[in-house]
Amino acid sequence: MNRRRLPAAALAAALVLTGAAGCSGKAKTDDGDKTAAGGVKTGAGVSDKVIRLGALTDMTGVYASLGKSVTQAQQLWAKQTNAAGGICGRTIELTVRDHGYDPQKALAAYTELEPSVLGYTQFIGSPFVAAVKQRIDGQDKGLVIPQAWSASLLGSPYIRTVGATYDIETINAIGFLLDEKRIASGDKIGHVYFEGDYGENALAGAKHAASKAGLTIVEQKIKPTDNDMTAQVAALKQAGVKALVISAGPRQAASLVGVAAAGGWNVPIVGNNSAFSPQLLATPAGAALQKDYYVASSALPIGSTEAGPAALAAAYKAEYPDAGLDNGVVAGFTAGSLFGEVLKKACTDKDLTREGIRKALLSLKAYDNGFGITHDFSDPKAPSTRESVIMKPDAAVPGGMKVVKEAAAAAATTGFSSAS
């Protein structure tokens, strides 16, 4: 069995084994909730001087470039926060574990850190998060902000995504093509998507958008190991599709766009937020990506001249002068900043326990993180937003992306439920 594509049930079973092995001879670092100096209630991961948070990332696997950017951005957030005096009289301590997108390593790292951290500012890999969802909700109850947007993660009081889920993001992407009159009722759209939570959740959104607009979806399911999209392009061209949607990774997006361009097939292509990396602009597909390729996202790109992205870009380059800019920087920093906002509210409420963090997050009904979209975290069953920014690759812009449509929700998102 390919360990990278274990279903959630199998991963959960593996967690029992790795958890038993990883916790052998160890006990939780606290004896339950207690009241610290100043009347603030504390628990796991919180002392009188430190708030400990975990980061479960991928810096050596399939999402290595994303993981590095997310992690460095969160380390920058922690450094800035501590330089400003910390939160609630405590410094932020961020413990990072690289799981390399390996399920066994991811689950072992979660189990290792869980007793000693208040929560997690990142957890890359929606299958891994799904595998521990029952444990998080049932016994651990620590806030997890995953770098994953599958609707299957909705409903948990403790696993909270920042942004639109993949299905809604795809509805907005197709809505953009409709608004631009690139497609119309009666047309066929090709959808290339990863097997598993990510791709299949995006497909659900595509089918909903198609049903509302009189479109037909022509499916092409692929595996994360499929990097050559020649066969998919040939099949979709033969089917007569007028546009393409890709819910996969940057490599698959570059191949899809490049192969189509090389064959003289000029159709608009839109992707989900993880279907682009600025490094692609230096590849043979770079020119084609800048011609008619678009990406939907729940935040302004790092190259935006708006105050939030501009300040982050400057600070990040100052801290990591040799690192490139990409939207992983935005995803990481905004997740860290959200956790910080929750900690501040919990401090005001004098409750820095895991339960206090859960309650504090529910109070954020109009959270503006400075990156183009206002988020509502009051309902765990709903995504924090239904809006998406539409971006286009541009090698002349830092981070390689420019905005072509400001944040908006397509009409087809109205009344749409990810649970339907």
Side-chain angles (χ1 to χ4, degrees):
M1 181 181 292
N2 186 330
R3 294 169 65 205
R4 296 186 187 278
R5 298 197 302 275
L6 284 171
L11 286 174
L15 174 61
V16 174
L17 297 177
T18 56
C23 291
S24 177
K26 296 182 180 179
K28 284 186 178 290
T29 56
D30 65 281
D31 296 318
D33 297 344
K34 49 191 176 291
T35 301
V40 178
K41 192 176 181 182
T42 63
V46 182
S47 71
D48 287 346
K49 296 182 178 180
V50 176
I51 297 173
R52 297 180 180 87
L53 304 175
L56 304 174
T57 194
D58 173 16
M59 293 195 287
T60 52
V62 295
Y63 288 109
S65 60
L66 171 68
K68 180 179 179 181
S69 298
V70 170
T71 301
Q72 290 186 161
Q74 293 188 341
Q75 290 170 330
L76 173 63
W77 162 75
K79 182 177 180 179
Q80 289 181 341
T81 300
N82 291 337
I87 296 175
C88 212
R90 297 162 172 84
T91 59
I92 301 297
E93 182 180 287
L94 190 62
T95 301
V96 178
R97 291 291 181 269
D98 172 23
H99 58 57
Y101 213 76
D102 180 289
Q104 301 290 349
K105 291 180 179 178
L107 299 176
Y110 172 84
T111 299
E112 175 207 350
L113 295 185
E114 186 277 324
S116 61
V117 299
L118 177 59
Y120 299 84
T121 56
Q122 65 165 300
F123 196 163
I124 288 180
S126 58
F128 313 150
V129 182
V132 294
K133 183 175 184 289
Q134 186 174 359
R135 174 177 164 176
I136 292 170
D137 290 348
Q139 66 185 61
D140 296 341
K141 302 186 188 312
L143 176 61
V144 176
I145 303 179
Q147 274 59 52
W149 293 267
S150 172
S152 66
L153 300 177
L154 294 177
S156 169
Y158 305 100
I159 303 171
R160 306 297 302 274
T161 59
V162 183
T165 44
Y166 294 124
D167 46 8
I168 291 175
E169 189 175 77
T170 306
I171 294 171
N172 288 335
I174 292 174
F176 167 72
L177 294 179
L178 288 165
D179 289 345
E180 295 294 307
K181 303 190 184 307
R182 305 300 302 278
I183 53 175
S185 179
D187 286 345
K188 295 179 181 178
I189 299 180
H191 193 170
V192 180
Y193 62 96
F194 274 164
E195 62 182 9
D197 276 0
Y198 165 23
E200 288 165 19
N201 184 218
L203 178 64
K207 288 182 174 179
H208 175 79
S211 70
K212 292 294 185 180
L215 305 167
T216 300
I217 301 295
V218 181
E219 300 177 30
Q220 288 287 310
K221 182 189 290 189
I222 62 174
K223 299 176 181 179
T225 51
D226 295 335
N227 293 323
D228 183 356
M229 297 295 104
T230 301
Q232 287 72 27
V233 168
L236 293 170
K237 186 176 182 180
Q238 178 67 29
V241 304
K242 300 296 185 183
L244 300 175
V245 177
I246 180 159
S247 304
R251 291 181 181 178
Q252 292 77 18
S255 179
L256 185 72
V257 173
V259 170
W265 191 33
N266 300 313
V267 294
I269 304 176
V270 292
N272 290 95
N273 71 75
S274 55
F276 178 76
S277 169
Q279 288 86 349
L280 298 177
L281 298 177
T283 71
L289 284 165
Q290 295 177 77
K291 183 179 180 182
D292 212 7
Y293 181 58
Y294 308 89
V295 175
S297 174
S298 291
L300 291 170
I302 189 66
S304 169
T305 57
E306 294 292 324
L312 174 57
Y316 189 82
K317 290 302 291 183
E319 186 70 17
Y320 307 106
D322 297 328
L325 290 171
D326 58 34
N327 280 344
V329 177
V330 174
F333 193 84
T334 54
S337 298
L338 171 62
F339 215 120
E341 192 70 17
V342 172
L343 289 172
K344 292 173 185 176
K345 177 62 170 64
C347 179
T348 300
D349 296 339
K350 296 188 178 300
D351 191 350
L352 283 175
T353 65
R354 291 176 177 177
E355 181 62 15
I357 295 302
R358 181 191 70 80
K359 292 179 179 178
L361 182 56
L362 290 174
S363 72
L364 301 184
K365 298 182 179 181
Y367 175 60
D368 182 357
N369 60 13
F371 286 81
I373 290 178
T374 299
H375 298 264
D376 181 354
F377 294 98
S378 63
D379 183 2
K381 296 180 181 179
S384 66
T385 181
R386 289 177 174 263
E387 295 184 337
S388 297
V389 175
I390 305 299
M391 305 179 293
K392 190 175 188 293
D394 186 340
V397 176
M401 296 288 272
K402 66 180 181 182
V403 175
V404 294
K405 183 179 180 181
E406 299 293 339
T413 64
T414 303
F416 173 76
S417 170
S418 294
S420 62

